[in-house]
Amino acid sequence: MLVRMENAERDGADEDSTCEAGRLAALPSRLLARAAAISGRIVGDGLAAAGSHRYQYAVLATLAEFGPASQADLARRTGLDRSDMVPTIATLEAAGLVARAVDATDRRRNIVSLTGPGTARLAELDALVDRLQAEATAPLDADEATRLVALLGRLVRHHGGRWR
Amino acid sequence: MLVRMENAERDGADEDSTCEAGRLAALPSRLLARAAAISGRIVGDGLAAAGSHRYQYAVLATLAEFGPASQADLARRTGLDRSDMVPTIATLEAAGLVARAVDATDRRRNIVSLTGPGTARLAELDALVDRLQAEATAPLDADEATRLVALLGRLVRHHGGRWR
DNA sequence: CTAATTTCAGTTTAACTGATATCA
DNA sequence: CTGATATCAGTTTAACTGAAATTA
């Protein structure tokens, strides 16, 4: 399989000695790693500047979409580790953005739910994240970004749909 | 900008409670992170099983393409950190795959060059890496993988062409 | 003097592991 | 009993930082 880029589709930036170049730069795994690092930094910094964190955003967005859930369910739905869930929920609860209550029907579980302030906060963060995603996928237009998402989605789903 | 996936282009895998789902799963930054994690694990494990490492492969491939170079030049061309270069080169030298010699015209520099065994080893690793890239980009066909690489290449080049 | 190179020692951070207590 | 949950403490690893010694 040959998936290297040769010289097609350059974006204007010439190679220089302070920038990696060559066959290596066209390997899918390396491009994925760099694109992930770039987008991760943009989204992480943007959320941090707004006083949040991608773990928090993942929890809030998942609660809004699926409704109240135990921490274990949230971990599965967000892809976060169960142990990283604990301080994330604690921070959100301290900020009044979620409520945590022992499940009366299964007292092992905490039922986590969005509060009113949490819903409002999520609306702000949704708008912010939309801008950050657009920044992260620049210079692709909306159509190209959609194609990228479709390709990545198929790749990720093919490889088991889970992290480990 | 709306770059979410809705329900189009599913790959056969239905959502279940042990797999993250929802809007979140269609965010470019998250898909990039997961695709990078998947391909990084495939390539890293594959190289490890062959007794190598992606840092070593990056150095060998860059030496083959650009010829002998100082460690600082190799760091710039590969995108590796100058400090991670040191043990990488040391390991390659100990295995006889590269030679390291003080540059007579600038005694701060080590000139690193491929040895015969290094060239042979690179040929093996090139074949291995090609297989691993194909595995990492499955289930995309060659054409789709090329499109993915083109999109990622434009994204990465737009964001400065460097890691930091 | 400043600036580049190699090297080392240590930091940071996300992601993860293992163990414990609790409960179904 | 097994198995799920919430929690905590600690590990791992890549990526990075800062500084020393050397040389241009």
Side-chain angles (χ1 to χ4, degrees):
Chain A
M1 189 187 191
L2 251 182
V3 278
R4 285 163 175 165
M5 232 186 29
E6 309 302 343
N7 271 334
E9 298 222 44
R10 290 279 159 152
D11 205 30
D14 276 341
E15 295 169 15
D16 67 279
S17 67
T18 66
C19 166
E20 69 187 283
R23 288 180 303 164
L24 216 53
L27 289 182
S29 62
R30 286 184 58 100
L31 285 168
L32 283 168
R34 293 202 41 186
I38 289 164
S39 72
R41 182 176 39 70
I42 289 171
V43 174
D45 289 355
L47 285 170
S52 193
H53 187 277
R54 68 193 168 82
Y55 286 8
Q56 294 181 30
Y57 175 72
V59 168
L60 293 175
T62 300
L63 285 173
E65 189 166 10
F66 295 96
S70 70
Q71 295 182 195
D73 282 339
L74 285 171
R76 282 183 288 263
R77 287 176 180 158
T78 57
L80 303 186
D81 194 88
R82 73 207 187 296
S83 63
D84 296 321
M85 213 64 230
V86 176
T88 301
I89 301 285
T91 302
L92 290 171
E93 187 185 34
L97 304 179
V98 305
R100 177 159 45 171
V102 173
D103 183 346
T105 74
D106 182 346
R107 302 193 31 256
R108 294 170 304 183
R109 289 178 154 88
N110 290 330
I111 298 295
V112 182
S113 50
L114 263 185
T115 62
T119 304
R121 178 66 161 145
L122 176 59
E124 293 171 9
L125 293 179
D126 267 332
L128 171 60
V129 167
D130 252 24
R131 289 197 300 278
L132 294 171
Q133 297 296 324
E135 187 184 340
T137 53
L140 309 183
D141 64 33
D143 206 57
E144 291 167 326
T146 301
R147 276 201 289 276
L148 177 63
V149 164
L151 289 168
L152 292 173
R154 286 178 51 213
L155 194 158
V156 165
R157 255 171 286 116
H158 177 262
H159 287 281
R162 49 198 88 195
W163 286 90
R164 290 167 282 286
Chain B
M1 187 185 191
L2 251 183
V3 279
R4 286 164 174 164
M5 234 187 28
E6 310 302 344
N7 271 334
E9 299 222 43
R10 293 275 157 155
D11 206 30
D14 278 341
E15 296 168 13
D16 69 278
S17 66
T18 66
C19 167
E20 69 187 283
R23 289 181 302 166
L24 216 55
L27 288 182
S29 62
R30 285 183 60 99
L31 284 167
L32 284 168
R34 292 202 41 187
I38 290 164
S39 72
R41 181 176 40 71
I42 289 171
V43 174
D45 289 355
L47 285 170
S52 193
H53 188 277
R54 68 193 167 81
Y55 286 7
Q56 294 181 31
Y57 176 72
V59 167
L60 293 175
T62 300
L63 286 173
E65 188 165 11
F66 295 96
S70 70
Q71 295 181 194
D73 282 339
L74 285 171
R76 281 182 290 262
R77 286 175 180 158
T78 57
L80 303 186
D81 195 87
R82 73 209 187 297
S83 63
D84 297 321
M85 212 66 229
V86 176
T88 301
I89 302 286
T91 302
L92 289 170
E93 188 185 34
L97 303 179
V98 305
R100 177 158 48 170
V102 173
D103 183 348
T105 74
D106 181 347
R107 301 193 32 257
R108 293 171 303 185
R109 289 176 154 89
N110 290 330
I111 298 296
V112 181
S113 50
L114 263 186
T115 62
T119 303
R121 177 69 162 144
L122 177 59
E124 293 171 8
L125 292 179
D126 267 331
L128 170 60
V129 167
D130 251 24
R131 288 196 301 277
L132 294 171
Q133 297 294 324
E135 187 184 339
T137 54
L140 309 182
D141 63 34
D143 207 57
E144 292 167 325
T146 301
R147 277 201 290 275
L148 177 64
V149 164
L151 289 168
L152 292 173
R154 286 177 51 212
L155 195 157
V156 165
R157 257 172 283 116
H158 177 263
H159 288 280
R162 50 198 85 197
W163 286 89
R164 293 167 280 284

